[in-house]
Amino acid sequence: MKAVHAFCVVLLVFGSVSEAKFDDFEDEEDIVEYDDNDFAEFEDVMEDSITESPQRVITTEEDEDETTVELEGQDENQEGDFEDADTQEGDTESEPYDDEEFEGYEDKPDTSSSKNKDPITIVDVPAHLQNSWESYYLEILMVTGLLAYIMNYIIGKNKNSRLAQAWFNTHRELLESNFTLVGDDGTNKEATSTGKLNQENEHIYNLWCSGRVCCEGMLIQLRFLKRQDLLNVLARMMRPVSDQVQIKVTMNDEDMDTYVFAVGTRKALVRLQKEMQDLSEFCSDKPKSGAKYGLPDSLAILSEMGEVTEGMMDTKMVHFLTHYADKIESIHFSDQFSGPKIMQEEGQPLKLPDTKRTLLFTFNVPGSGNTYPKDMEALLPLMNMVIYSIDKAKKFRLNREGKQKADKNRARVEENFLKLTHVQRQEAAQSRREEKKRAEKERIMNEEDPEKQRRLEEAALRREQKKLEKKQMKMKQIKVKAM
Amino acid sequence: MSTNNMSDPRRPNKVLRYKPPPSECNPALDDPTPDYMNLLGMIFSMCGLMLKLKWCAWVAVYCSFISFANSRSSEDTKQMMSSFILWPLSLLPSAAVLDFPE
């Protein structure tokens, strides 16, 4: 008796819990009594459920609106309050396997899976709730690409650094024997050699050397390829480019005569002639072949006058140029060097750009991009050539004729420049005067006090009259002088 | 003394300090890549954020990485960081793959 009582309590508890759970279905459900045989089909499931851990299997079939609840620990023979929605039938089922029971069922519901095929429309589980890799396809691809980029950045940076260090180690001795100051970044208070390269970029390294006869200083720039940028690396696969070493020697004014001269590959010279201010003004002819002086065909010469070429192309220089022609991009000596042509804006009068006596060298590192640290040794003879050129530039002097020609050229260029800018300067002055007048007028107009306005107007008139008088005086003076 | 002078070209009294070249026009002339990439990165990250396009966000990531790799030393770190900060903002909503449609 007591056992039955306890059992009923347990049943009630379970029943109430299940009721609470299935409130949603209340409207559609009929409370139906189950026979044992109704569970015949679910036998397998029932057996599974009678295991240790309590399980609740809820089978939802939307079309049929049927809920099957299986509770653990219940005997098959239990009777209790089971709620089962069966709106279509609405009958108390007392007989097993009534065929009518299965009307409208397309599949036998013997699988506990909730997914049937037609005609049930099953909403896809949203992608972000799936755990398959396919949904992250794009992210995986992108992250892989980024990782590749970062790897390339690190590798490229290190390679450039190694190349720079190799270059410096090879050239250090030569530089230290020629210059007092080797390596300076301009930040130290005292001028002491830092003895190392300045890293401007991941692919550009600078070195400043100073303290030598003839020259103020020498700036060496190692312009490596952008190995740290993957895009650049890929672009270079299409079009091979070389690392470059650019050397700019600033000469003392008294140590270099006045001439403009360049030698290099034809392509480079054509480009320089277009870009560089001094080459375009003083060397207007096309680059000539250097075969006359024994240079290989790959090299051409741009010169202000023949005498300069004659003077420059001595035996040693020709030797250097012939032996290292493949590494030479361009060599440019000029006393009028002011850098590339500046694109000036309209209406802006420009001054003659400051010029400096400079020797510029651009060398290509052998390897065409696939450079190794040991290739830097091949550049050492070129540095010797640079030192030789510095000394040569000091020694080379134009003769009287050459000097006259050079001076005439420079005077001509200056005159042209002034003529060009004269018009511009006049226009600029005119526009400034007009601007002033306009501002004056506006001020007068904006003046609220009529008294003040009148006074300002009178002042302006007086000023204009004075100007006119002055001009008239000048004209009279000129006329008198002419007479 | 004179032989020493002749053989040794060094002149300690003629040392000139290094002056970095004036940066008025040079940075723009040299290589505009980092600036372009910076700008593109910002534009794409804005697009990605506003229009909820995942690919935009990813392109912005790439643009800012390229800009960083090509950057000049003279550039302000702040300028570079500005585009670097934007792409996580646009990518985070899509990173969780929660909101953006494929």
Side-chain angles (χ1 to χ4, degrees):
Chain A
M1 196 55 192
K2 270 187 183 175
V4 173
H5 178 72
F7 179 66
C8 287
V9 167
V10 167
L11 272 179
L12 274 172
V13 166
F14 271 116
S16 65
V17 168
S18 66
E19 260 182 17
K21 261 239 154 181
F22 297 109
D23 275 345
D24 290 342
F25 301 104
E26 263 180 5
D27 295 337
E28 301 167 1
E29 284 171 3
D30 295 323
I31 298 171
V32 168
E33 267 188 52
Y34 271 83
D35 268 347
D36 298 341
N37 292 329
D38 287 337
F39 289 101
E41 300 150 15
F42 302 98
E43 250 176 20
D44 291 343
V45 183
M46 284 281 288
E47 278 167 6
D48 286 342
S49 73
I50 304 171
T51 49
E52 294 155 317
S53 56
Q55 287 169 1
R56 210 159 248 212
V57 177
I58 302 155
T59 313
T60 312
E61 291 175 22
E62 290 175 32
D63 275 357
E64 274 70 35
D65 290 337
E66 185 181 86
T67 313
T68 314
V69 181
E70 291 175 1
L71 299 171
E72 187 267 331
Q74 307 285 337
D75 290 340
E76 292 179 10
N77 297 323
Q78 277 167 20
E79 294 177 13
D81 290 338
F82 286 104
E83 289 172 332
D84 180 24
D86 191 2
T87 47
Q88 290 181 4
E89 305 285 327
D91 293 330
T92 310
E93 281 155 7
S94 52
E95 285 179 310
Y97 292 118
D98 191 0
D99 281 334
E100 289 173 25
E101 212 180 295
F102 297 106
E103 281 172 20
Y105 279 79
E106 301 211 342
D107 288 330
K108 292 227 168 110
D110 52 4
T111 55
S112 56
S113 154
S114 63
K115 290 194 178 179
N116 284 331
K117 290 173 185 171
D118 309 314
I120 300 161
T121 48
I122 295 166
V123 176
D124 280 330
V125 176
H128 62 272
L129 294 179
Q130 287 177 1
N131 277 328
S132 66
W133 288 112
E134 285 169 4
S135 60
Y136 295 103
Y137 179 69
L138 180 69
E139 276 72 21
I140 291 169
L141 203 65
M142 289 293 174
V143 169
T144 316
L146 270 181
L147 283 173
Y149 194 90
I150 293 169
M151 290 284 292
N152 179 72
Y153 177 82
I154 295 169
I155 293 170
K157 190 168 95 126
N158 285 338
K159 175 140 195 205
N160 279 347
S161 173
R162 273 184 292 131
L163 287 174
Q165 207 50 48
W167 181 92
F168 188 54
N169 291 337
T170 323
H171 291 74
R172 185 198 289 263
E173 212 180 297
L174 179 64
L175 291 172
E176 282 178 349
S177 65
N178 273 290
F179 293 92
T180 320
L181 180 72
V182 174
D184 182 23
D185 54 7
T187 54
N188 296 341
K189 276 194 185 157
E190 292 167 12
T192 45
S193 299
T194 57
K196 54 183 179 161
L197 300 160
N198 284 349
Q199 186 176 358
E200 204 178 284
N201 248 339
E202 308 300 345
H203 62 284
I204 297 181
Y205 292 81
N206 285 342
L207 184 71
W208 171 255
C209 304
S210 184
R212 193 188 191 275
V213 285
C214 320
C215 62
E216 286 181 2
M218 175 164 84
L219 180 66
I220 304 171
Q221 202 174 57
L222 304 174
R223 300 185 75 95
F224 293 124
L225 304 168
K226 286 185 184 174
R227 291 185 175 85
Q228 77 275 13
D229 180 19
L230 188 61
L231 281 186
N232 212 283
V233 168
L234 296 172
R236 265 192 298 118
M237 287 182 186
M238 316 287 172
R239 196 169 52 97
V241 188
S242 291
D243 299 299
Q244 280 190 338
V245 177
Q246 286 183 355
I247 301 172
K248 182 173 168 183
V249 182
T250 325
M251 301 289 285
N252 293 326
D253 284 344
E254 63 274 13
D255 288 325
M256 183 173 166
D257 215 342
T258 54
Y259 51 86
V260 177
F261 171 77
V263 63
T265 59
R266 205 167 279 271
K267 209 173 160 191
L269 286 186
V270 166
R271 185 175 45 86
L272 283 175
Q273 199 176 26
K274 265 192 245 162
E275 283 177 9
M276 292 295 170
Q277 179 90 12
D278 53 347
L279 282 176
S280 61
E281 282 173 356
F282 293 97
C283 308
S284 43
D285 300 331
K286 275 195 207 162
K288 291 194 199 111
S289 162
K292 196 165 74 163
Y293 303 97
L295 294 180
D297 289 333
S298 58
L299 295 179
I301 299 175
L302 263 182
S303 176
E304 190 181 351
M305 48 190 129
E307 189 199 334
V308 176
T309 323
E310 296 283 334
M312 279 292 139
M313 292 290 120
D314 62 352
T315 346
K316 203 161 181 194
M317 197 63 148
V318 171
H319 170 84
F320 273 126
L321 291 172
T322 331
H323 275 80
Y324 307 108
D326 56 332
K327 298 185 191 71
I328 295 172
E329 171 87 359
S330 69
I331 298 173
H332 178 192
F333 301 165
S334 171
D335 71 310
Q336 297 283 314
F337 180 74
S338 59
K341 283 188 194 171
I342 309 166
M343 296 296 138
Q344 59 262 30
E345 294 158 15
E346 287 295 336
Q348 229 185 27
L350 39 85
K351 286 187 290 180
L352 207 59
D354 292 329
T355 60
K356 208 93 185 73
R357 290 165 204 259
T358 323
L359 311 179
L360 292 143
F361 303 82
T362 308
F363 301 131
N364 293 327
V365 176
S368 217
N370 296 328
T371 327
Y372 296 98
K374 62 180 181 343
D375 293 332
M376 293 302 171
E377 290 166 7
L379 295 175
L380 193 57
L382 292 169
M383 188 54 74
N384 281 320
M385 181 175 86
V386 170
I387 305 291
Y388 173 75
S389 304
I390 296 174
D391 292 327
K392 183 169 180 65
K394 179 175 165 75
K395 282 186 253 168
F396 177 71
R397 299 286 158 183
L398 295 164
N399 59 18
R400 207 156 54 105
E401 257 180 53
K403 194 86 178 99
Q404 278 178 351
K405 241 189 187 175
D407 289 338
K408 239 196 331 194
N409 280 339
R410 275 144 192 75
R412 173 182 50 88
V413 166
E414 202 174 326
E415 213 183 296
N416 286 341
F417 176 79
L418 283 173
K419 268 193 206 162
L420 204 68
T421 55
H422 178 67
V423 174
Q424 277 181 332
R425 268 182 286 152
Q426 264 196 334
E427 284 178 4
Q430 181 76 7
S431 63
R432 257 180 281 144
R433 263 180 268 142
E434 281 176 9
E435 191 67 41
K436 258 199 219 168
K437 270 194 193 161
R438 213 163 25 92
E440 188 80 48
K441 276 190 185 152
E442 261 193 64
R443 212 158 37 98
I444 293 170
M445 296 295 278
N446 290 336
E447 204 59 60
E448 288 181 2
D449 192 5
E451 269 291 318
K452 261 194 181 175
Q453 229 180 28
R454 210 169 19 95
R455 256 183 280 153
L456 281 167
E457 272 181 31
E458 279 175 10
L461 265 168
R462 256 181 275 145
R463 252 179 274 143
E464 276 206 48
Q465 267 187 340
K466 268 191 190 170
K467 268 189 194 165
L468 271 167
E469 277 178 24
K470 262 190 189 172
K471 259 190 181 172
Q472 280 174 352
M473 287 292 287
K474 267 190 184 170
M475 293 298 285
K476 275 189 189 168
Q477 279 180 359
I478 291 169
K479 275 186 186 167
V480 166
K481 274 188 186 171
M483 281 200 299
Chain B
M1 191 49 182
S2 57
T3 44
N4 196 14
N5 270 347
M6 279 180 68
S7 59
D8 188 4
R10 289 180 288 182
R11 296 289 178 271
N13 56 337
K14 286 192 175 176
V15 165
L16 264 179
R17 295 304 303 278
Y18 172 62
K19 258 178 289 185
S23 55
E24 327 131 350
C25 54
N26 277 343
L29 281 178
D30 278 342
D31 183 21
T33 310
D35 300 322
Y36 282 151
M37 285 296 148
N38 219 3
L39 186 66
L40 274 178
M42 283 201 251
I43 291 172
F44 275 115
S45 62
M46 281 293 130
C47 282
L49 198 58
M50 302 296 174
L51 307 174
K52 290 197 167 63
L53 297 168
K54 220 197 301 189
W55 64 267
C56 271
W58 282 110
V59 172
V61 176
Y62 274 95
C63 282
S64 60
F65 268 79
I66 295 170
S67 164
F68 174 74
N70 284 302
S71 63
R72 297 177 281 270
S73 68
S74 54
E75 256 181 34
D76 228 350
T77 349
K78 275 183 257 173
Q79 220 176 345
M80 233 181 348
M81 288 296 134
S82 66
S83 83
F84 236 81
I85 283 167
L86 281 174
W87 64 257
L89 282 180
S90 66
L91 201 55
L92 276 174
S94 68
V97 202
L98 289 174
D99 297 329
F100 289 11
E102 280 280 340

